[in-house]
Amino acid sequence: MIPLSVAWDDIGGLVDAHERFLAGALVDTTVRDSVLDSWKRCRSAGLQPHQLLVPYAPDLTLEDRFLRAADPVLKDLSASLTQVGITIALCDARGRMVERLGGNRQLRDRLDEVSFAPGFDASERVVGTNGVGTALAERSPVYVAGREHFADCLQPFACAGAPVRDPFSGRIEAVLDLTCLRDDGDPAMLRLVREAAHSIEARLLEQSTQRERALLAAYRRAGPDVGGWPRQPRLAAPDQGDGHGYGGLGRIDAAVLREKAEELLASPHRTLDEVVLSGGRVATLLRRPVMGAEGETGVVVEARIFGGPRLRQAGSTAATPSVTGAARVEPRLVEKATDVSPDVAPAAPRALADAPAGQAPVAAPTGTAAGTATVLPTTSTTPTTSTRPSTSAKPVAVTTVTIPSAPPLSPTDTGSPAGADEEPPTRARVDDRLLLVGEPGVGRLAVLARRRLELLHDAGVRIGTTLDVARTAEELTQVAVPQFADFTAVDLPDAVLQGEEPGPFGAGTPLRRIALGSVHEVPHLYGVGDPVHYVPTTPQARSLEHRQSVLEPVLVEAEGWLAQDPARLEQVLAAGIHSLITVPLRARGATLGVVSFYRSEKPAPFEEDDLSLAQELAGRAAICIDNARRYTREHNTALALQRSLLPRGRPEQSAVDIAYRYLPAQAGVGGDWFDVIPLSGARVALVVGDVVGHGLHAAATMGRLRTAVHNFCSLDLPPDELLTHLDDLVGRLDRGEGWAVENTQADSGIVGATCLYAVYDPVSRRCTLTRAGHPFPAVVAPDGTVEFVDLPSAPPLGLGGMPFETVELELAEGSQLVLYTDGLIEDRHRDIDSGLDRLRTVLAHADRAPEDTCEAVLDALLPERPSDDVALLVARTHALGPEQVAQWDLPSDPAVVSRARAAVTEQLAAWGLEDLAFCTELIASELVTNAIRHATGPVQLRLLRDRALICEVSDGSSTSPRLRRARTEDEGGRGLFLVAQLTERWGTRYTPNAKIIWTEQPLPHS
């Protein structure tokens, strides 16, 4: 195998990367993440690769308990490496070397030259990236070779390090390291050091289980009056088959007793507790010390239960591991656990000696994860949250047994004689039992472990209930306070709030305080909504830059934190805040922000093992925040697309006064739309539609349909024909026709759309309406009468097969035409009939302006959180009076053309539009001449003075004139070309009995 460091150095990758990193360049693609993170920490600590100052501490040692576990493992490892140039280093939990074993003289001399020797500090903040310090910082095994070392003097070496943890507390007790020259390095060293660390941890576990058994034996040897109980209790089987397991206690009572006993064992100052059980029983718990034969010290928790039915008694005990499951118990462990001195009453040892294998109170066997040996196999309890969970709460070995009393009590006691079937009602029932045997520290860890699981379960349930970034951040603070921290602050950049991708984080990156949870108000902390600019030395800035959690156990000594705002933060310290953990919020490879956990006053400061719990909470919250951010981005994109496809402003027209509202659904954008489209002849088209479905697909389909309606309107199609063409278009979109993109699927999800189309003519005051599966429009008369127009039923667009029918109404001037989508009148809590009744009531006010009508309708009918989009269009009609309309019926005689020109000139003079006379005469002359020459039927000339001057000529022919460019030798074909040049726009529209050629000219500016 080619050593990793040699291969990289040969190609110059690490050499170049190290130099570029020191120069401030990016090296993410050429350096392993763990090494790059270590380099960043070294740079933040101010280390210089060419100059180190390594402190020395004499007479370093480790606890005897640890050395007893480590010595055999180190001797075996040293023997296996005798023929290999590798040295073994054992360092304490701070990275200071305690012992160095093995290695040839050349290697030892070179290590001495760089102060990698007993007594010297090898932590990362002192000597940079290396097997000892980086393993401590990463809290996991690492391999570092050659140029991966930050310091120049360490680059000739290769090393592998692994932390050694106490299996009960989870805390790092020491660091084991293997070091050799770089050319002798091999990544397999990582496996060796990891296995050796695990072996030491297993021996630590074995020592603890032996200690627990010794404490239990010492308790059984205790005299009858130790601790204040009247007699030594006797063992009992956990389940008597009567439905009341565990010696007559129900499962819930047993779980409550165990929980309270663990809390009492964990408490250093309490000795008594009282627990109310079911059936009117009360249990008094007593905590008292016990010492083993070889000086082992621990505590026991006993229970005395008063009242309730008499508990059955037996002569055997049972204990099964409750955390690790039912582990097989070896007979030799049973014998050791039941080693009782002769001075104990014979009933107890006999019961122990007769207990079958697997039913003696023992701890977890050596080599397995430590568990709680207990007679209460139910491990799922409902813990309280008065004590904070800690990551140091690993599975522990606490021996739990149940011992009801058998002997009769003295006449002065409140109990009853043994064997009595019934007790006099004046005498209380008493039951004594042993609950826990263990060390106070172990009991504390058992309580904290359970509460940590409770906190993580709570986080999984309560964080991420919505797809709102700010709300998710608030949920994180609500879960963390007060169970884990006294104050929790979440800071995010504005880009994350808006759903955008977070940019790179550097010094001074602007953040915003999004959420703050606290047990009480501290006015000196940044408040919600405040901008936050962290200076580079703060833990928050270091977390964001290095993407690592930072612990500050003593904030008063954290100069980098105080540099943020000394005056403000001195007041924060005065308020009692004393420790801090900052964790970057990272999800899917991106850093979203940072969360800060603070503790104050009475709670113990954060420890290093609290980091894992903080990271777990932040990791879960980061995923939920990123989900909310992505949803916000998609929602904003769809909403922006939809709004860009909806009308902007009001078109210029005089036929109606309009007001409109569009409200997207809370669940996502939909396909509702509306439109006001000016038509020829001063008419106006009113359109409201609704595409089935929600999201980007519905919004894009809505845009297609709205564009198609505009195009069909430009052709002046009648309403029924327009919906027929629209129905065909939706059907083709539904089938995916017309999309020939390779390797893509056809559009899916379009079932159809509804549409209501109305055309209002202010000259005749007539309105033509047709619908395709849409709710009925409402007409509000000037007197306040409200009617829903009963349009013929037609299927939604896209289904096809049925013709569309129209209804024509004559509307009085000042009437209101109200068009809307179904989201206004129906939802899951209200049917359509009740919605129509409420709408009728709201509209029965003819004196309202269209804007006021929109507001009144939405206030009365719209729910607080609409489940569907709502589009509302209100139009108040106007009419063009006789003074604005001039109309002449002309015979089919060429001589009438001159009279038509004269009539046009006279009418324009009456309107004060003499400036338009010349052009209008020419236009009218050309159109009337074409109608007489090329068409049949009666000819009519009409002038309309609206926002523009409109000239219309109608005839009875269905042929349409065509604009063409005449050649030089042609005698005709130039009339329509001149008309097009003299007008702003022109076109043709058809009526049931005729066609109309129309032109528009802008009016002179006043």
Side-chain angles (χ1 to χ4, degrees):
M1 175 183 295
I2 300 177
L4 183 63
S5 60
V6 175
W8 278 32
D9 281 349
D10 286 345
I11 63 175
L14 277 176
V15 177
D16 180 61
H18 192 260
E19 297 300 327
R20 288 189 293 113
F21 175 81
L22 294 177
L26 295 177
V27 294
D28 292 14
T29 59
T30 56
V31 183
R32 290 187 292 147
D33 288 343
S34 58
V35 174
L36 182 58
D37 292 339
S38 176
W39 286 2
K40 291 179 179 179
R41 292 192 296 267
C42 296
R43 183 171 60 187
S44 297
L47 292 182
Q48 298 296 327
H50 60 281
Q51 184 178 3
L52 298 179
L53 181 62
V54 185
Y56 175 79
D59 302 327
L60 294 177
T61 186
L62 296 173
E63 292 183 4
D64 291 341
R65 175 182 65 91
F66 184 88
L67 293 176
R68 287 196 304 271
D71 283 345
V73 177
L74 295 181
K75 289 179 181 178
D76 292 343
L77 182 60
S78 179
S80 66
L81 299 176
T82 302
Q83 305 301 323
V84 183
I86 297 178
T87 186
I88 306 168
L90 181 64
C91 304
D92 64 14
R94 294 173 55 183
R96 300 173 301 179
M97 190 180 298
V98 176
E99 185 178 5
R100 194 178 70 185
L101 304 173
N104 54 41
R105 172 174 288 277
Q106 178 189 8
L107 177 60
R108 292 196 300 269
D109 290 343
R110 298 194 63 175
L111 291 175
D112 289 343
E113 292 174 0
V114 297
S115 299
F116 193 76
F120 287 98
D121 194 337
S123 61
E124 191 179 70
R125 60 182 177 81
V126 174
V127 299
T129 308
N130 71 94
V132 176
T134 304
L136 271 177
E138 296 284 339
R139 306 179 64 78
S140 62
V142 298
Y143 178 77
V144 182
R147 285 284 181 169
E148 290 183 328
H149 288 91
F150 186 78
D152 294 341
C153 62
L154 296 181
Q155 291 175 3
F157 304 98
C159 55
V164 183
R165 298 175 181 271
D166 186 315
F168 291 120
S169 69
R171 294 174 180 169
I172 295 176
E173 297 286 343
V175 181
L176 193 61
D177 174 87
L178 301 180
T179 300
C180 64
L181 293 176
R182 182 187 62 182
D183 294 341
D184 298 330
D186 193 318
M189 294 164 56
L190 187 64
R191 176 178 57 82
L192 290 177
V193 74
R194 182 190 295 116
E195 291 177 353
H198 288 171
S199 298
I200 296 175
E201 292 170 353
R203 292 183 62 84
L204 287 172
L205 176 63
E206 182 178 1
Q207 289 182 18
S208 297
T209 55
Q210 291 172 353
R211 183 184 184 88
E212 290 296 321
R213 290 195 293 269
L215 292 176
L216 180 60
Y219 173 78
R220 295 197 183 93
R221 298 188 188 100
D225 295 326
V226 175
W229 292 132
R231 297 187 61 84
Q232 171 70 17
R234 197 170 65 176
L235 304 176
D239 194 348
Q240 306 299 330
D242 59 356
H244 294 278
Y246 324 113
L249 282 179
R251 292 180 180 271
I252 295 179
D253 285 344
V256 171
L257 270 182
R258 184 182 64 181
E259 177 185 347
K260 295 299 183 182
E262 289 176 354
E263 293 179 2
L264 188 59
L265 184 144
S267 174
H269 305 296
R270 295 169 53 206
T271 57
L272 288 172
D273 198 1
E274 188 173 82
V275 184
V276 178
L277 305 176
S278 62
R281 290 174 293 184
V282 177
T284 299
L285 305 184
L286 171 68
R287 175 184 186 272
R288 61 185 177 88
V290 64
M291 178 177 292
E294 298 182 2
E296 304 91 347
T297 59
V299 293
V300 297
V301 178
E302 301 168 334
R304 193 173 200 191
I305 302 174
F306 299 87
R310 169 164 293 283
L311 304 179
R312 295 194 179 187
Q313 302 168 11
S316 63
T317 186
T320 57
S322 65
V323 175
T324 59
R328 184 173 63 89
V329 180
E330 299 291 344
R332 60 181 180 84
L333 297 182
V334 176
E335 294 172 4
K336 185 163 184 130
T338 57
D339 183 14
V340 184
S341 59
D343 59 344
V344 181
R350 187 182 309 113
L352 288 170
D354 294 341
Q359 290 187 349
V362 297
T366 302
T368 65
T372 300
T374 175
V375 300
L376 311 177
T378 303
T379 62
S380 176
T381 62
T382 305
T384 60
T385 57
S386 58
T387 303
R388 304 177 190 280
S390 169
T391 58
S392 63
K394 303 295 182 181
V396 298
V398 178
T399 304
T400 307
V401 296
T402 305
I403 312 176
S405 61
L409 301 177
S410 63
T412 59
D413 291 332
T414 57
S416 62
D421 295 332
E422 295 183 359
E423 294 187 23
T426 58
R427 305 187 69 185
R429 303 178 180 91
V430 181
D431 179 45
D432 299 339
R433 57 183 61 199
L434 171 65
L435 292 179
L436 287 179
V437 176
E439 298 179 66
V442 175
R444 169 180 172 270
L445 296 175
V447 174
L448 296 181
R450 186 174 65 248
R451 288 177 179 163
R452 181 192 182 203
L453 293 176
E454 174 72 13
L455 178 61
L456 293 178
H457 175 268
D458 197 25
V461 172
R462 295 174 56 188
I463 298 178
T465 59
T466 68
L467 288 173
D468 180 83
V469 174
R471 178 57 188 157
T472 304
E474 291 173 1
E475 291 169 345
L476 170 59
T477 63
Q478 292 169 0
V479 168
V481 176
Q483 292 93 326
F484 180 66
D486 293 314
F487 303 91
T488 301
V490 180
D491 304 318
L492 304 175
D494 290 336
V496 173
L497 288 177
Q498 297 163 5
E500 301 173 4
E501 292 287 342
F505 287 90
T509 299
L511 301 175
R512 190 172 300 279
R513 180 62 48 86
I514 304 304
L516 177 65
S518 62
V519 292
H520 56 80
E521 184 178 358
V522 175
H524 309 297
L525 289 174
Y526 294 107
V528 175
D530 290 348
V532 183
H533 299 268
Y534 288 112
V535 299
T537 59
T538 58
Q540 290 85 353
R542 302 199 320 261
S543 290
L544 292 172
E545 181 182 3
H546 302 154
R547 299 174 295 179
Q548 296 287 334
S549 303
V550 176
L551 167 65
E552 293 288 357
V554 184
L555 275 179
V556 71
E557 300 175 1
E559 297 180 358
W561 178 74
L562 289 170
Q564 172 71 22
D565 188 342
R568 174 196 291 263
L569 298 182
E570 286 289 352
Q571 294 176 318
V572 171
L573 292 176
I577 292 179
H578 53 65
S579 60
L580 163 69
I581 289 179
T582 64
V583 185
L585 293 168
R586 289 184 52 79
R588 302 179 178 95
T591 302
L592 305 174
V594 64
V595 55
S596 304
F597 301 99
Y598 295 89
R599 281 187 181 173
S600 65
E601 298 177 355
K602 294 182 180 180
F606 286 117
E607 302 174 352
E608 285 195 10
D609 293 299
D610 290 314
L611 282 172
S612 62
L613 180 55
Q615 291 167 352
E616 183 78 21
L617 289 174
R620 297 189 182 199
I623 291 293
C624 296
I625 289 175
D626 192 53
N627 290 340
R629 179 192 66 81
R630 290 167 180 263
Y631 170 79
T632 301
R633 180 185 60 190
E634 297 297 331
H635 180 77
N636 291 344
T637 300
L639 191 59
L641 171 63
Q642 186 179 47
R643 291 194 181 279
S644 69
L645 297 174
L646 290 172
R648 297 183 179 181
R650 295 175 172 84
E652 293 186 358
Q653 50 82 35
S654 303
V656 292
D657 290 335
I658 61 171
Y660 54 83
R661 295 289 187 275
Y662 170 75
L663 297 175
Q666 294 292 331
V669 298
D672 291 17
W673 93 93
F674 62 92
D675 229 327
V676 179
I677 306 172
L679 301 177
S680 62
R683 299 170 306 138
V684 65
L686 306 175
V687 192
V688 172
D690 183 3
V691 176
V692 175
H694 291 86
L696 282 173
H697 188 77
T701 303
M702 176 270 290
R704 296 175 183 175
L705 297 186
R706 181 169 177 257
T707 301
V709 170
H710 273 267
N711 292 334
F712 295 148
C713 285
S714 66
L715 300 176
D716 264 321
L717 296 177
D720 54 342
E721 285 190 40
L722 186 144
L723 285 192
T724 300
H725 285 287
L726 205 60
D727 175 69
D728 181 62
L729 173 63
V730 174
R732 286 188 284 113
L733 291 177
D734 195 14
R735 295 188 297 271
E737 296 179 8
W739 301 93
V741 181
E742 187 177 359
N743 296 328
T744 59
Q745 296 181 350
D747 286 343
S748 60
I750 305 176
V751 176
T754 65
C755 184
L756 175 63
Y757 184 78
V759 176
Y760 173 69
D761 187 347
V763 178
S764 64
R765 294 185 289 106
R766 302 194 70 80
C767 183
T768 305
L769 305 97
T770 186
R771 71 183 181 111
H774 205 81
F776 297 125
V779 174
V780 184
D783 61 357
T785 303
V786 180
E787 292 185 2
F788 291 100
V789 182
D790 188 10
L791 295 178
S793 176
L797 300 173
L799 300 182
M802 296 291 290
F804 297 99
E805 301 182 30
T806 60
V807 169
E808 190 172 281
L809 304 174
E810 183 173 340
L811 302 179
E813 185 175 7
S815 299
Q816 286 191 1
L817 186 62
V818 181
L819 287 68
Y820 51 88
T821 55
D822 59 357
L824 180 69
I825 58 173
E826 65 175 333
D827 58 30
R828 59 178 178 268
H829 303 297
R830 179 181 61 198
D831 59 31
I832 189 170
D833 291 333
S834 61
L836 289 175
D837 291 339
R838 295 180 64 180
L839 179 60
R840 183 192 300 274
T841 302
V842 176
L843 292 178
H845 296 274
D847 55 337
R848 289 198 188 107
E851 286 287 343
D852 297 334
T853 300
C854 286
E855 290 297 328
V857 168
L858 295 182
D859 290 343
L861 278 83
L862 198 63
E864 184 176 350
R865 296 179 60 87
S867 58
D868 195 6
D869 288 16
V870 174
L872 174 64
L873 181 62
V874 178
R876 170 167 286 173
T877 62
H878 294 290
L880 291 182
E883 70 281 0
Q884 295 177 275
V885 179
Q887 180 174 307
W888 301 274
D889 293 325
L890 305 175
S892 298
D893 183 359
V896 79
V897 175
S898 60
R899 295 201 303 270
R901 288 199 298 268
V904 167
T905 302
E906 182 180 353
Q907 184 62 51
L908 291 180
W911 285 343
L913 300 176
E914 293 87 349
D915 293 343
L916 298 179
F918 176 77
C919 292
T920 307
E921 283 184 22
L922 184 57
I923 293 169
S925 175
E926 179 62 30
L927 295 182
V928 170
T929 300
N930 285 344
I932 293 174
R933 179 178 298 178
H934 302 293
T936 60
V939 178
Q940 186 181 76
L941 173 64
R942 187 169 73 165
L943 293 179
L944 303 177
R945 179 170 60 85
D946 190 35
R947 292 178 177 270
L949 179 62
I950 302 171
C951 179
E952 296 181 343
V953 175
S954 64
D955 59 58
S957 173
S958 60
T959 60
S960 176
R962 180 169 59 89
L963 179 66
R964 66 185 179 88
R965 182 177 297 275
R967 292 173 296 183
T968 306
E969 65 273 12
D970 289 345
E971 295 183 1
R974 296 177 177 84
L976 282 181
F977 179 78
L978 291 175
V979 169
Q981 297 300 311
L982 296 174
T983 61
E984 190 173 50
R985 63 186 189 128
W986 72 281
T988 304
R989 74 172 181 269
Y990 294 90
T991 64
N993 301 315
K995 75 171 185 296
I996 299 173
I997 311 297
W998 55 269
T999 65
E1000 288 186 5
Q1001 302 173 76
L1003 297 177
H1005 294 292
S1006 57

